[in-house]
Amino acid sequence: MTPVKLSGVGASEGAAVGPAFVPRAGVPEPERKGIDAGEVEAELERFREAVGVVAGRISETAEGLRESGNEDEAGIFDFHAEMAEDPELASAVEERVKNLESPEAAVLAAGEEYAAEFAAMEDEYLSARADDVRDVTRQISAELMGRSASGFEALHTPSVVLARSLAPSDTARIPKGMALAFVTAEGSRTSHVSIMARSMGIPAVVGVGDALSGALDAETVAVDGTEGSAITDPDRETVARFEKISQAMAEERAALDAYRHVEARTGDGRRIEVAANLGSASEAEDALKWGAEGVGLFRTEFLFMQRDDLPSEDEQYDAYSAVVRAFGGKPVIIRTLDVGGDKDLPGVDQIHEDNPFLGWRGIRMSLDTPDLFKPQLRALLRAAVHGNLKVMFPMVVEAGELRAAKGMLDEARAELEREGVEFAEIETGVMIETPAAAVCAADLAAESAFFSIGTNDLVQYTLAADRGNERLRRLQGADHPAVLALIRQTCEAAVEADIPVGVCGEAAGEPQLIPLLINLGVTELSMSAPSIPRAKKVVSEL
Ligand code: PEP
Ligand code: MG
């Protein structure tokens, strides 16, 4: 195939070459709900054929896995193939089709009923099979509508993922090690897909625009996440060039190794703490190896997005405790749930909003849904027993919200005390990521133990420029004078109140912005872990 060159934003450095993978979007929406009486026989036949195709495809995947020595994973796909051909599922669908439901709608509905039966089983293994049932019935429904059924469940070979956009709930579901790089039509350096790519340490090119549609049939893709370009079906010389870039990057990383575990200090002796942003507890060990001196931002929403239901208080407690324990006595700042905007929560009914980034986001949603917020606060208080845990609230625009959140924390504390459950005190801080919070920083500082500036949102709200819109690149930098003025104001309020101020937005890891932030008074920088050694080097050379 003729190579196609895609140009966009280099969102995560490094180079990779690998097979192309194009994921399918979520649950298929049935095209027709009903059918005519005269169509029943033909539709039943179509259903049986679709089952055969899906079962065959799944068995092939199982075979491939078995041949490459992945016996355990192959077993899962054997189960999926069996499930696709399950006679009970077939008769439930057939009955619905005879009652004039379209097979694509019938198989989803029957699948949902079947999944609910599994979910209700006491045996943990069997109840976890509900998701397998949904997965299979969605594939059959998609097949009936002639759509590709290759969601991330079908990603079994390390590949370059090509997609119009990748929501955090998509990236959270990518099997570990299976994404070599991302290329997306939409997005900017501060979109969540870019943030995820940097944490995963894989190259990404975002914002390539409509040119992506010409690349979706590619077999192989070469990605240069430093320059911001990708080439489909590259020739041998191009592959060699990309391998060279990858090697150069490995050499640069090796040279930076010396900085991993230094304490960063500017020439005039100011100590700057360099911490990691985490999306899950499993990233903690890796972050420590990169030299993280703490966690400046633990994005708890990913814990909620990796699944279809909500994590219980105990499950949250386990995840928070694991991070705090891994960091010993080092500070770990855990941010309460920040969904809304571009982050949907699978277990919660979110109403469609015309402007989700200006909508029911972060602390607004948490304060309105105590059933969601309270268990999180209880889990945080309990996990604090294991180390130096601090909590911070996202999207705050006024001191009243901070007070309300702290009030809820007091209630959670009182409940635990009454129940005799062990917990420890935690410091509470605020994210400064709205212009309102920066302008009201003095009020907020009076009631906060620390500030953490979220430049990703602060930039988009100050400059009225969607952080994921690839056409607004020139308005997505934290070095705009208006943004810097708000950061200055925040730092001044923090100094006045004698509280520390960090930056946990992506600007914290940008070598050219670090000197600016430090000059404005920032004392802590938190970033994707692989960026830590370079940030320490930049600080040490100031
Ligand atoms: C920010 O807005 O800068 C931030 C760190 O939060 P998130 O990127 O998760 O919105
Ligand atoms: Mg934010």
Side-chain angles (χ1 to χ4, degrees):
M1 253 178 275
T2 331
V4 176
K5 174 151 187 196
L6 304 167
S7 300
V9 178
S12 179
E13 60 191 14
V17 181
F21 180 84
V22 181
R24 155 200 69 140
V27 187
E29 178 62 32
E31 283 158 2
R32 305 166 307 160
K33 296 269 190 286
I35 53 170
D36 295 331
E39 294 177 291
V40 169
E41 275 317 309
E43 291 297 341
L44 284 175
E45 194 45 42
R46 259 180 18 89
F47 168 67
R48 288 177 202 124
E49 274 173 24
V51 165
V53 171
V54 170
R57 198 162 48 215
I58 298 174
S59 300
E60 265 175 40
T61 307
E63 240 6 83
L65 285 167
R66 197 157 276 126
E67 276 165 20
S68 55
N70 294 312
E71 188 56 46
D72 287 353
E73 287 173 39
I76 299 173
F77 285 92
D78 289 338
F79 176 76
H80 280 204
E82 254 174 61
M83 181 60 62
E85 296 187 299
D86 185 274
E88 236 180 282
L89 175 70
S91 61
V93 175
E94 286 176 10
E95 203 175 311
R96 283 173 172 270
V97 174
K98 284 178 190 154
N99 286 324
L100 306 185
E101 218 174 298
S102 74
E104 56 267 39
V107 71
L108 286 178
E112 211 37 61
E113 281 175 6
Y114 214 179
E117 280 176 33
F118 270 95
M121 289 181 187
E122 290 225 341
D123 181 300
E124 211 174 272
Y125 175 81
L126 287 175
S127 76
R129 301 285 68 78
D131 282 342
D132 297 290
V133 176
R134 288 193 186 100
D135 189 15
V136 169
T137 50
R138 284 171 191 175
Q139 289 185 57
I140 299 173
S141 179
E143 180 63 33
L144 278 158
M145 292 185 282
R147 296 188 199 155
S148 151
S150 52
F152 282 113
E153 320 78 52
L155 179 56
H156 303 301
T157 314
S159 305
V160 174
V161 177
L162 304 177
R164 171 137 283 282
S165 63
L166 286 170
S169 50
D170 295 324
T171 46
R173 283 168 185 255
I174 294 177
K176 205 172 162 61
M178 289 297 150
L180 292 176
F182 295 145
V183 180
T184 62
E186 297 171 3
S188 71
R189 270 191 74 77
T190 56
S191 304
H192 283 98
V193 58
S194 309
I195 295 173
M196 288 296 278
R198 287 196 286 276
S199 308
M200 290 158 89
I202 61 168
V205 179
V206 303
V208 301
D210 289 338
L212 183 80
S213 47
L216 296 179
D217 292 335
E219 281 178 13
T220 313
V221 187
V223 182
D224 179 347
T226 311
E227 189 200 283
S229 65
I231 298 172
T232 64
D233 297 316
D235 55 26
R236 228 178 300 150
E237 282 106 81
T238 312
V239 172
R241 185 159 57 81
F242 276 68
E243 279 167 1
K244 247 195 180 148
I245 300 173
S246 184
Q247 199 185 332
M249 166 99 193
E251 282 164 13
E252 199 212 341
R253 286 229 162 123
L256 283 171
D257 271 356
Y259 287 91
R260 284 191 186 212
H261 301 291
V262 302
E263 287 195 345
R265 216 173 272 283
T266 60
D268 61 3
R270 267 180 295 164
R271 168 90 171 95
I272 306 294
E273 201 176 285
V274 184
N277 291 349
L278 304 187
S280 75
S282 62
E283 294 166 27
E285 289 302 333
D286 218 34
L288 283 161
K289 287 190 197 130
W290 283 108
E293 298 170 286
V295 175
L297 165 65
F298 180 90
R299 289 182 166 95
T300 56
E301 50 277 7
F302 291 105
L303 179 66
F304 289 68
M305 281 175 195
Q306 281 154 345
R307 44 197 289 159
D308 291 324
D309 56 354
L310 297 172
S312 66
E313 177 185 321
D314 283 347
E315 285 169 300
Q316 292 187 60
Y317 163 77
D318 288 343
Y320 307 151
S321 304
V323 181
V324 173
R325 275 204 198 98
F327 275 82
K330 297 189 176 107
V332 173
I333 302 179
I334 302 190
R335 177 175 77 183
T336 59
L337 200 55
D338 182 23
V339 287
D342 65 345
K343 292 179 277 193
D344 282 341
L345 198 54
V348 170
D349 278 341
Q350 274 161 282
I351 297 152
H352 169 79
E353 294 181 308
D354 285 341
N355 289 302
F357 271 119
L358 301 181
W360 201 47
R361 246 199 103 173
I363 196 68
R364 304 168 183 188
M365 184 193 193
S366 293
L367 290 175
D368 288 346
T369 48
D371 288 353
L372 206 59
F373 198 25
K374 195 66 98 44
Q376 179 165 46
L377 295 173
R378 288 173 52 108
L380 289 166
L381 286 162
R382 288 170 54 198
V385 168
H386 304 292
N388 186 0
L389 187 156
K390 304 167 196 254
V391 63
M392 78 177 163
F393 305 113
M395 280 297 290
V396 168
V397 294
E398 58 180 15
E401 288 171 331
L402 172 60
R403 250 171 259 139
K406 284 167 78 173
M408 200 86 90
L409 190 65
D410 287 341
E411 281 176 31
R413 193 184 286 111
E415 279 176 18
L416 293 172
E417 213 155 34
R418 260 199 315 275
E419 293 162 21
V421 178
E422 199 187 4
F423 67 93
E425 286 310 326
I426 47 185
E427 285 187 354
T428 50
V430 173
M431 280 199 77
I432 305 291
E433 53 181 347
T434 63
V439 172
C440 298
D443 290 348
L444 290 166
E447 303 182 47
S448 308
F450 61 92
F451 280 161
S452 184
I453 304 175
T455 45
N456 308 337
D457 279 315
L458 187 59
V459 171
Q460 81 161 343
Y461 293 129
T462 306
L463 305 185
D466 183 336
R467 65 195 262 185
N469 187 330
E470 76 276 10
R471 291 190 195 88
L472 303 177
R473 251 170 246 170
R474 75 179 175 84
L475 298 173
Q476 285 159 345
D479 53 355
H480 188 286
V483 177
L484 295 179
L486 291 173
I487 296 177
R488 179 188 300 280
Q489 197 169 340
T490 304
C491 290
E492 282 169 1
V495 169
E496 187 65 26
D498 196 21
I499 59 170
V501 56
V503 173
C504 64
E506 292 307 300
E510 305 267 353
Q512 73 283 13
L513 293 178
I514 291 173
L516 273 178
L517 296 173
I518 291 176
N519 275 339
L520 290 171
V522 167
T523 54
E524 184 235 12
L525 299 166
S526 190
M527 61 200 67
S528 309
S531 304
I532 289 174
R534 186 179 295 135
K536 288 188 175 179
K537 177 169 189 275
V538 172
V539 173
S540 308
E541 288 171 354
L542 280 180

